[in-house]
Amino acid sequence: MPIQLGKKQLGLSRLLLAFEVVQFRWLWASVFFSSMSMGMRMLTQGWLVLEITDSPFWVGLVAGLQGVGVVGFGALGGALADRFDKRKVLAVVQFGSGSAAILIGVLALTGLIELWHIIVASFFQGLFMATQLPSSNSLAYEIVGPQRLLNAMAMRLAGMNITRIIGSLAAGGLIANFGIGSSYLFAGVSSFIGLSLLLSIKGNFRRVNQREPFWRAVRQGAMFVWSTIQIRRLLGLSLLIEAFGFSHFVMMPVMARDVLGLDATGLGFLSASSGVGSTLGTLAVAGLGDFQKKGILLTGTALGSGVFLVMFALSPWFALSMVLVSIVGGCLMAYDVTMGTMLQLLSGDEMRGRVLGIYGLTFGFTPVGGFLVGSVATVLTVPIAVSLGGILVVLYVTLITRSVSAISVVQETNASK
């Protein structure tokens, strides 16, 4: 039982609030390994495309095609999360994702890899992400309930960012010593480990009547989002942050090699620094417990991410860049935890998966934004392109701070959790 003072948890008990639920521990462990797989794939993909093409444009374009997959399938992925057992949906997705990574790894190790192989794999990884995101987030809600949700979302992202640290260093070391294919194989194995842990979760996680026609379910989700002004405002902010905030991840290999003069090992350290900041940011939010002023937290962290992103883009020094990118990562992850929590609390049980599916659709704008940044970088420079994204974030968040900060969420009670 948690240690309590009135209605507040204390210290470590508040930080580990969601882990009181046994099934969440299995979900967290599964997310840990599947996230390591995803992070290593994205980092390795950027380096591989840069080696093949020597072009930031192609790095952005290949990532952009993954975004097309997420955007094109986002609403459908959310409807699948509402219609079927979320655990089984995630199992299928992790199997497909791991298989694709292993296939690309084998092609790279045998010297048969071509650019079109990476393009096709990137698009299908986008389809997998479009289904994985709403299923994983709504599964967390059903396991822990609304009062533990902010903590659960934060701890999941903390685990994901710990894997970014480990995965980044592992990817850099594997690429430098054993070739790019070995990093893909490691990512594929990690995905299958996550799958095995996912299957240990017990329970029935299908809540919507299957007799509802599938396309009607998709349409109703879109209509609900459009008619709910608070959700609409949040999704508008998400689209911008994904396109011009998170998209700096896509350009990380180019920043590392062409701006800071680093090799694959240096890229691993730069990405790991971002993961350190991201982990600290999510742990800070987790330590807040059931924090009430979520709108203020959301806009404050979004604004901070834009400011420090500009500073990171213009830094010519490796050590300073590591510090700045860690702050950017911390702000973005604290924002991300809060955004995902607010959207779930504003959605009812019947619509949660579909709302999260449309929210996941905005995640597709991270690689799409990477394509835009890569295109601008070919005309101007990479630092200017990345810093312009940060400036857009600062300007937009400044304009909408009052309306978004005023959004309040009403938490349901869930005595069964």
Side-chain angles (χ1 to χ4, degrees):
M1 294 296 292
I3 302 171
Q4 294 187 342
L5 177 63
K7 295 184 178 180
K8 301 289 185 180
Q9 278 73 33
L10 293 174
L12 187 61
S13 178
R14 184 168 64 182
L15 183 64
L16 301 177
L17 185 63
F19 284 94
E20 295 172 359
V21 183
V22 173
Q23 301 307 320
F24 178 77
R25 301 172 199 169
W26 287 112
L27 177 62
W28 189 90
S30 174
V31 169
F32 184 92
F33 284 97
S34 63
S35 297
M36 183 179 296
S37 173
M38 180 175 66
M40 291 186 70
R41 287 197 318 268
M42 292 182 66
L43 196 66
T44 307
Q45 174 183 286
W47 193 260
L48 177 58
V49 174
L50 193 60
E51 280 197 349
I52 292 175
T53 66
D54 196 34
S55 168
F57 172 80
W58 277 105
V59 173
L61 178 59
V62 174
L65 290 173
Q66 178 173 309
V68 170
V70 177
V71 172
F73 202 69
L76 301 180
L80 288 173
D82 275 340
R83 191 176 185 86
F84 299 104
D85 187 316
K86 298 166 182 62
R87 180 190 50 187
K88 294 179 180 178
V89 171
L90 283 172
V92 172
V93 167
Q94 289 194 21
F95 179 82
S97 183
S99 299
I102 288 176
L103 177 60
I104 294 296
V106 171
L107 289 172
L109 286 174
T110 56
L112 299 175
I113 191 70
E114 296 183 16
L115 184 60
W116 73 266
H117 296 143
I118 311 170
I119 290 173
V120 172
S122 179
F123 176 75
F124 275 97
Q125 292 291 2
L127 298 183
F128 294 141
M129 284 180 62
T131 306
Q132 181 180 21
L133 293 168
S135 298
S136 180
N137 286 339
S138 56
L139 180 58
Y141 178 92
E142 292 191 18
I143 289 174
V144 305
Q147 294 181 333
R148 291 184 174 93
L149 183 60
L150 181 63
N151 179 265
M153 294 290 287
M155 294 308 295
R156 284 175 65 251
L157 280 178
M160 292 172 66
N161 288 305
I162 292 171
T163 67
R164 283 187 56 211
I165 302 170
I166 300 171
S168 296
L169 295 175
L174 287 169
I175 293 171
N177 293 289
F178 303 104
I180 287 178
S182 64
S183 183
Y184 270 108
L185 292 181
F186 192 98
V189 171
S190 295
S191 187
F192 283 113
I193 293 174
L195 169 61
S196 66
L197 292 166
L198 178 70
L199 297 177
S200 299
I201 299 174
K202 306 300 181 183
N204 179 19
F205 301 102
R206 180 174 56 191
R207 303 186 65 167
V208 172
N209 191 339
Q210 291 187 75
R211 296 179 181 178
E212 181 183 26
F214 180 78
W215 291 108
R216 181 185 296 175
V218 174
R219 186 173 65 251
Q220 287 180 345
M223 291 174 62
F224 174 78
V225 166
W226 184 254
S227 62
T228 309
I229 188 170
Q230 292 179 320
I231 292 178
R232 199 166 72 233
R233 285 175 178 171
L234 291 176
L235 290 176
L237 175 60
S238 177
L239 191 152
L240 181 107
I241 297 294
E242 295 295 335
F244 299 108
F246 282 100
S247 61
H248 79 279
F249 292 138
V250 176
M251 287 292 108
M252 192 85 75
V254 185
M255 289 287 294
R257 194 193 73 169
D258 296 348
V259 177
L260 299 173
L262 305 174
D263 58 11
T265 302
L267 169 63
F269 278 102
L270 188 66
S271 181
S273 298
S274 176
V276 170
S278 300
T279 302
L280 295 176
T282 50
L283 289 175
V285 176
L288 294 175
D290 187 20
F291 187 73
Q292 296 299 307
K293 297 181 180 179
K294 297 178 178 67
I296 295 174
L297 180 62
L298 184 77
T299 53
T301 52
L303 185 63
S305 69
V307 171
F308 284 100
L309 181 58
V310 174
M311 297 171 67
F312 164 69
L314 300 178
S315 168
W317 301 294
F318 179 41
L320 179 60
S321 295
M322 289 179 66
V323 174
L324 292 172
V325 79
S326 69
I327 298 174
V328 173
C331 289
L332 284 173
M333 286 301 137
Y335 150 85
D336 208 25
V337 171
T338 312
M339 173 66 80
T341 301
M342 290 178 69
L343 285 172
Q344 293 204 64
L345 294 175
L346 288 167
S347 308
D349 288 344
E350 294 285 314
M351 288 291 175
R352 185 166 294 109
R354 279 165 280 188
V355 170
L356 290 173
I358 296 174
Y359 172 48
L361 182 153
T362 69
F363 285 25
F365 284 86
T366 294
V368 170
F371 166 66
L372 295 175
V373 172
S375 300
V376 173
T378 59
V379 178
L380 302 175
T381 65
V382 176
I384 291 176
V386 174
S387 62
L388 285 175
I391 291 170
L392 286 174
V393 169
V394 171
L395 292 176
Y396 183 79
V397 174
T398 301
L399 289 174
I400 55 89
T401 291
R402 178 174 296 181
S403 61
V404 172
S405 296
I407 294 177
S408 60
V409 293
V410 178
Q411 297 187 352
E412 307 165 16
T413 58
N414 195 331
S416 64
K417 302 298 181 187

